[in-house]
C-alpha cells in the first residue's frame, strides 16, 4: 500500500459539498496516510456589519462544509472556519491550530470566487468588469495564497519541506472555450504567485509551491455556476487525447506533489487528459 504521506498533516481548504474538488484530494491524501484538517468559508467575528443575506450565505456555506466533512471524512476530522480575505480570520485560524498543537506539512488552496459569474447569468465581458469585481476576484482567488501562506509561516505552522498546492485552469493563460474572463485574470495572478512563492520559500524554508490546471468540471458548486461549462466539458472530452481528467486524476497528482521529499516546485501542471497540447 502507498503510504507516502504517512506522518504528514495536510490542510485542505475549499470543501463546500460532496462535489468539491478539494474533497477528492483530501480522500486520496488520507488514503496515502496523511492526517487531514479542513477549513471552510463561514461566518467569523471579523464579519461585523455584513447584511443579513451575506450572513445567511456564510452560515449555510459553513453548515454544508461541516456536514460534508463529517459525512465524507469522518466526525473526527478537525474543521475550522476561515475566510481567506480577512487577516483576522487567518490569525484566528492560526491561533486555533496552535491551541490544538497542529503543525502542517502542506496545504491545498482550492479557493476561487468571481462576482461576475453567477448561475444562469451571462458572464460579464472584461470591459464591463468593475474595479470592485476585479479586485474581489483577485483577493479571494489569487492574493489569498499569499495571505494564507504568510499567516501560516509567521505563526510557524508550516514545517520545513512542506508542500503548497493551488488549483488553476487553462483559462489562466488562454481564452478558454467557454467565457472565463475576470476569473482567468485572477488565475493568471495565482499562477504567477505560485512561481514567486516557489522561489522565495524554496530558498528560505525548503517549501515547495505548485499549481495544477484541471479539466473543466461541472460537479462542483463553482463549476456548475460558470456559463457554458457543460458544453466545455463535452468539447474538451472530445478533443483531449485521453478525454477529460477526472477528480481522481487530480487527487493522485495532488497527493504526489504533497509528498514531503519530492523536489518539484514552481510547476504549473496540466491534469486535463492532454487538452492543453491542442492548437
Ligand atoms: N470546476 C472546475 O471546472 C475547475 C477546473 C479547474 C480548477 N478549478 C479550481 O478548483 C478550485 C475548487 O473549485 P471547485 O470546482 O471544487 O468548486 P467549489 O465551489 O467546491 O470550491 C470553491 C471553494 O472556494 C471557497 N471560497 C470562496 N470564497 C472563499 C473565501 N473568501 N474564503 C475561503 N474559502 C472561500 C468556497 O467556499 C468553496 O469551498 C477553485 O480554485 C477552482 O477555480 C475548478
Amino acid at each position: 500500500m502507498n503510504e507516502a504521506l504517512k506522518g504528514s498533516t495536510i490542510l485542505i481548504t475549499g470543501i463546500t459539498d460532496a462535489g468539491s474538488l478539494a474533497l477528492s484530494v483530501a480522500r486520496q491524501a488520507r488514503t496515502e496516510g496523511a492526517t487531514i484538517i479542513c477549513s471552510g468559508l463561514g461566518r467569523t467575528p471579523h464579519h461585523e456589519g455584513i447584511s443579513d443575506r451575506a450572513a445567511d450565505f456564510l452560515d449555510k456555506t459553513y453548515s454544508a462544509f461541516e456536514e460534508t466533512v463529517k459525512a465524507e471524512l469522518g466526525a473526527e476530522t478537525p474543521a475550522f472556519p476561515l475566510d481567506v480575505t480577512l487577516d483576522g480570520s487567518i490569525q484566528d485560524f492560526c491561533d486555533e491550530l496552535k491551541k490544538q498543537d497542529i503543525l502542517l506539512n502542506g496545504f491545498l488552496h482550492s479557493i476561487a470566487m468571481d462576482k461576475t459569474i453567477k448561475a444562469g447569468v451571462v458572464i460579464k465581458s472584461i470591459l464591463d468588469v468593475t474595479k470592485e469585481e476585479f479586485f474581489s476576484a483577485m483577493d479571494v482567488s489569487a492574493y489569498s495564497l499569499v495571505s494564507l501562506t504568510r499567516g501560516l509561516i509567521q505563526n510557524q505552522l508550516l514545517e520545513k519541506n512542506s508542500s503548497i498546492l493551488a488549483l488553476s485552469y487553462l483559462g489562466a493563460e488562454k481564452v478558454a472555450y467557454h467565457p472565463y474572463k475576470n476569473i482567468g485574470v485572477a488565475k493568471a495572478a495565482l499562477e504567477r504567485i505560485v512561481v514567486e512563492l516557489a522561489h522565495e520559500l524554496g530558498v528560505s524554508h525548503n517549501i515547495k509551491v505548485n499549481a495544477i490546471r484541471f479539466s473543466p468540471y461541472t460537479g462542483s458548486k463553482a463549476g456548475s455556476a460558470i456559463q457554458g461549462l457543460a458544453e466545455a466539458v463535452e468539447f474538451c472530452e472530445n478533443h483531449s487525447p485521453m478525454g477529460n481528467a477526472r477528480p481522481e486524476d487530480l487527487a493522485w497528482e495532488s497527493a504526489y506533489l504533497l509528498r514531503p521529499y519530492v523536489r518539484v516546485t514552481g510547476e504549473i501542471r496540466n491534469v486535463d487528459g492532454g487538452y492543453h497540447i491542442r492548437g
Side-chain angles (χ1 to χ4, degrees):
M1 195 166 72
N2 167 11
E3 294 202 316
L5 294 176
K6 200 168 176 193
S8 290
T9 300
I10 306 290
L11 162 67
I12 301 288
T13 69
I15 293 176
T16 293
D17 54 32
S20 291
L21 290 170
L23 185 60
S24 61
V25 178
R27 281 208 197 96
Q28 184 60 27
R30 202 172 55 173
T31 301
E32 296 190 22
T35 298
I36 299 300
I37 73 158
C38 299
S39 69
L41 179 61
R43 186 142 51 126
T44 73
H46 306 281
H47 285 103
E48 257 173 46
I50 58 173
S51 66
D52 290 349
R53 207 164 143 235
D56 188 50
F57 167 76
L58 288 172
D59 289 343
K60 284 192 175 133
T61 303
Y62 196 72
S63 304
F65 157 72
E66 274 192 314
E67 277 168 32
T68 305
V69 169
K70 202 167 154 196
E72 306 285 338
L73 297 171
E76 71 289 355
T77 308
F80 306 94
L82 173 64
D83 183 334
V84 287
T85 63
L86 301 171
D87 289 343
S89 174
I90 292 178
Q91 188 54 51
D92 284 358
F93 172 65
C94 290
D95 289 343
E96 204 49 50
L97 294 192
K98 284 195 266 186
K99 218 189 283 170
Q100 299 194 23
D101 281 331
I102 296 172
L103 269 181
L104 300 175
N105 301 95
F107 74 88
L108 175 74
H109 179 284
S110 183
I111 293 172
M113 196 278 303
D114 173 8
K115 290 180 180 168
T116 74
I117 297 176
K118 282 195 191 88
V121 176
V122 175
I123 292 176
K124 274 190 177 182
S125 68
I126 283 290
L127 265 187
D128 291 330
V129 172
T130 66
K131 203 186 268 194
E132 199 275 325
E133 288 163 342
F134 179 86
F135 283 110
S136 143
M138 278 284 180
D139 189 12
V140 179
S141 317
Y143 185 73
S144 59
L145 183 63
V146 175
S147 44
L148 181 55
T149 303
R150 182 176 50 226
L152 293 171
I153 285 186
Q154 283 180 347
N155 285 279
Q156 298 177 335
L157 289 163
L158 269 180
E159 298 268 41
K160 282 211 166 192
N161 299 326
S162 282
S163 176
I164 298 171
L165 182 61
L167 298 190
S168 189
Y169 184 59
L170 187 68
E173 182 188 333
K174 298 180 181 175
V175 175
Y177 177 84
H178 58 89
Y180 204 59
K181 310 276 176 192
N182 191 37
I183 189 70
V185 179
K187 288 294 189 194
L190 175 75
E191 292 187 0
R192 198 65 191 81
I193 289 167
V194 163
V195 171
E196 290 297 334
L197 282 181
H199 183 249
E200 288 185 11
L201 298 182
V203 172
S204 63
H205 292 74
N206 213 30
I207 288 176
K208 53 187 177 283
V209 191
N210 294 290
I212 292 180
R213 291 179 179 172
F214 184 57
S215 291
Y217 170 73
T218 47
S220 65
K221 215 166 190 174
S224 63
I226 299 178
Q227 176 206 347
L229 199 71
E231 291 80 356
V233 167
E234 200 185 325
F235 182 86
C236 296
E237 175 74 13
N238 294 330
H239 290 80
S240 306
M242 302 186 77
N244 286 327
R246 313 279 190 252
E248 55 268 31
D249 298 303
L250 172 71
W252 290 323
E253 189 64 12
S254 299
Y256 173 74
L257 289 170
L258 287 168
R259 290 180 186 188
Y261 52 81
V262 166
R263 277 198 197 79
V264 174
T265 197
E267 276 281 318
I268 311 296
R269 287 271 166 98
N270 294 283
V271 175
D272 65 355
Y275 180 77
H276 67 283
I277 65 172
R278 293 298 304 260

